[in-house]
């Protein structure tokens, strides 16, 4: 059995900005003993985008990387060497993922790590699930909050204290003005619940029995929530939540809340309320222990996206567990599967019109 899986990173993106680039940085820094970067597939910056914005930065970074093959297509990489296990880490545009999963299977990948939400629609995600299932290739999802410390700490406290109610809070750092939010709405045009808050929906699907069939009720907190119609840079108008809070009750008797704010800051957290509605517990991401690591990484990679650093340990955990699963053929404990992703996307598609109607 090989000691580590060879990773094919599909979709690197621009240094300091692309999630794929940060995956590469961690792998090249030997952060995951069960996952080693072997190939980078980057069709844009090695092709039509090489002379455009970010192209120069990508070329300069790629020139510093040793022992890794750079290609424009999965079809270009050599066949898998006997005794080797190959895993695709797909971190490109969501709309490209259905095609890329098929190409990864053809390229000999026996495991696939797919960044959230996986595909633009439930139908496409279900088709990918079937294609991979027929080929015997498990798909794990980059829902890294599933393995986050703040999630486990919040759930542990709630489980130990009867009458507890959990709320998962996601914040982002957009400026609270129409230009900033309009650009955000257009760039993330799938909508907040399929984008920023999809991690929180994966949590409630994974740990609170939430599914479309099991939702008894969903109620928006109108005092917190806000929905706007704004023009994006193209001049087209987009309607989305700039902040939303809602509570889901399931038919099996569970209750959980989600809160997301595009302009809420840079701290994500979980909190627990008692039966009187008073907050009795809160755990932040990053916590005090992680803040030191955040500062160190910010100094090491000035100008990089801040969220890379706060979630750095969790990205490592997911890659390590998926790499190990690829090598052993076993499970990746705590890591979301494509089944979770399908249900999460179904929940997002159900909740969006339901909550929009309540906020009209």
């Amino acid at each position: 059995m090989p000691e580590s899986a060879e990773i094919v990173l599909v979709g690197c993106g621009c240094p300091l900005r692309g999630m794929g680039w940060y995956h590469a940085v961690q792998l090249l820094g030997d952060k995951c003993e069960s996952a080693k970067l072997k190939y980078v597939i980057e069709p844009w910056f090695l092709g039509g985008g090489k002379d455009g914005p970010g192209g120069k930065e990508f070329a300069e970074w790629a020139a510093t990387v040793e022992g890794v093959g750079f290609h424009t297509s999965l079809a270009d990489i050599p066949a898998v060497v006997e005794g080797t296990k190959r895993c695709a880490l797909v971190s490109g545009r969501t709309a490209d993922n259905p095609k890329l999963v098929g190409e990864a299977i053809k390229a000999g990948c026996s495991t696939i790590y797919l960044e959230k939400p996986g595909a633009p629609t439930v139908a496409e995600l279900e088709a990918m699930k079937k294609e991979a299932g027929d080929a015997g290739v498990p798909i794990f999802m980059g829902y890294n909050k599933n393995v986050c410390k703040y999630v486990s700490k919040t759930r542990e406290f709630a489980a130990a204290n009867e009458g507890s109610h959990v709320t998962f809070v996601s914040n982002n750092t957009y400026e609270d003005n129409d230009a900033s939010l309009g650009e955000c709405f257009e760039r993330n045009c799938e909508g907040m619940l399929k984008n920023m808050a999809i991690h929180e929906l994966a949590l409630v699907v994974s740990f609170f029995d939430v599914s479309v069939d099991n939702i008894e009720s969903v109620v928006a907190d109108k005092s917190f929530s806000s929905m706007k119609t704004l023009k994006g840079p193209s001049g087209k108008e987009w309607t989305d939540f700039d902040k939303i809070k809602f509570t889901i009750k399931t038919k099996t008797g569970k209750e959980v809340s989600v809160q997301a704010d595009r302009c809420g800051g840079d701290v994500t957290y979980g909190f627990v309320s008692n039966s009187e509605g008073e907050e009795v517990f809160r755990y932040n991401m990053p916590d005090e222990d992680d803040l030191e690591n955040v500062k160190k990484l910010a100094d090491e990679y000035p100008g990089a996206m801040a969220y890379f650093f706060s979630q750095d340990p969790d990205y490592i955990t997911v890659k390590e567990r998926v790499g190990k699963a690829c090598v052993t053929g076993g499970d990746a404990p705590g890591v979301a599967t494509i089944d979770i992703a399908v249900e999460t996307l179904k929940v997002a598609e159900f909740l969006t019109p339901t909550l929009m109607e309540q906020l009209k």
Side-chain angles (χ1 to χ4, degrees):
M1 188 193 300
E3 289 182 5
S4 60
E6 64 173 37
I7 302 295
V8 184
L9 175 64
V10 186
C12 181
C14 183
L16 303 181
R17 301 198 66 76
M19 184 67 243
W21 168 81
Y22 198 67
H23 282 307
V25 165
Q26 291 187 323
L27 290 165
L28 292 166
D30 291 327
K31 303 291 187 184
C32 308
E33 65 178 40
S34 300
K36 303 299 174 193
L37 186 62
K38 182 76 173 174
Y39 302 104
V40 171
I41 311 299
E42 179 46 63
W44 179 244
F45 287 126
L46 291 173
K50 70 175 184 291
D51 297 320
K56 179 170 174 283
E57 291 86 344
F58 179 83
E60 288 172 354
W61 172 76
T64 69
V65 177
E66 297 178 356
V68 174
F70 283 79
H71 302 274
T72 57
S73 166
L74 276 154
D76 296 339
I77 63 176
V80 182
V81 175
E82 192 175 341
T84 301
K85 294 285 191 176
R86 180 177 285 175
C87 173
L89 197 173
V90 183
S91 185
R93 296 188 320 146
T94 301
D96 296 334
N97 286 352
K99 175 173 73 80
L100 293 172
V101 163
E103 290 178 1
I105 293 168
K106 287 192 185 76
C109 296
S110 57
T111 303
I112 295 173
Y113 173 140
L114 196 58
E115 277 297 355
K116 57 88 183 170
T121 66
V122 170
E124 287 169 294
L125 203 54
E126 287 183 324
M128 291 155 67
K129 175 185 164 184
K130 183 179 187 310
E131 182 179 10
D134 289 347
V137 174
I139 298 182
F140 298 102
M141 302 298 301
Y143 282 117
N144 59 289
K145 288 183 181 177
N146 275 40
V147 302
C148 274
K149 191 173 9 175
Y150 85 94
V151 172
S152 58
K153 296 281 188 188
T154 302
R155 289 175 57 224
E156 284 163 13
F157 184 92
N161 293 273
E162 206 172 327
S164 290
H165 179 89
V166 169
T167 302
F168 291 117
V169 179
S170 178
N171 287 315
N172 221 318
T173 53
Y174 291 94
E175 292 176 32
D176 192 3
N177 58 58
D178 289 357
S180 174
L181 287 168
E183 188 277 333
C184 169
F185 285 11
E186 182 163 290
R187 186 161 39 83
N188 303 297
C189 61
E190 63 268 36
M192 183 194 257
L193 293 187
K194 278 192 177 182
N195 177 266
M196 175 183 169
I198 196 84
H199 277 287
E200 282 63 41
L201 296 186
L203 292 176
V204 302
V205 168
S206 299
F207 303 124
F208 290 83
D209 295 342
V210 171
S211 66
V212 171
D213 292 340
N214 196 32
I215 292 175
E216 183 177 278
S217 67
V218 56
V219 179
D221 180 339
K222 294 181 182 179
S223 66
F224 178 89
S225 304
S226 167
M227 180 173 72
K228 293 179 177 176
T229 299
L230 299 171
K231 280 186 179 175
S234 69
K236 185 177 176 182
E237 289 192 333
W238 305 90
T239 299
D240 197 4
F241 310 109
D242 55 304
K243 55 182 182 174
I244 186 76
K245 184 178 182 183
F246 56 90
T247 298
I248 295 173
K249 290 185 181 176
T250 70
K251 293 170 185 172
T252 47
K254 295 198 175 178
E255 194 174 307
V256 64
S257 298
V258 168
Q259 176 180 310
D261 187 344
R262 296 277 193 195
C263 310
D266 58 3
V267 178
T268 290
Y269 58 95
F271 73 88
V272 179
S273 311
N274 62 19
S275 53
E276 281 80 51
E278 301 160 333
E279 183 179 321
V280 290
F281 178 87
R282 178 183 293 213
Y283 206 94
N284 290 347
M285 179 188 76
D287 66 9
E288 290 299 322
D289 292 341
D290 295 332
L291 283 171
E292 195 175 321
N293 187 47
V294 168
K295 185 179 183 312
K296 177 173 156 289
L297 290 166
D299 290 342
E300 196 172 347
Y301 303 105
M305 301 296 281
Y307 72 86
F308 293 163
F309 309 143
S310 60
Q311 299 179 51
D312 173 80
D314 309 308
Y315 295 139
I316 292 170
T317 298
V318 175
K319 280 197 290 293
E320 172 58 27
R321 291 181 186 177
V322 171
K324 195 161 192 178
C326 180
V327 169
T328 64
D331 292 329
V335 178
T337 62
I338 196 166
D339 296 301
I340 295 289
V342 168
E343 194 56 54
T344 298
L345 209 48
K346 284 181 180 177
V347 169
E349 290 187 354
F350 170 79
L351 290 179
T352 298
T354 305
L355 293 167
M356 283 185 165
E357 188 62 36
Q358 290 183 26
L359 294 181
K360 279 183 180 174

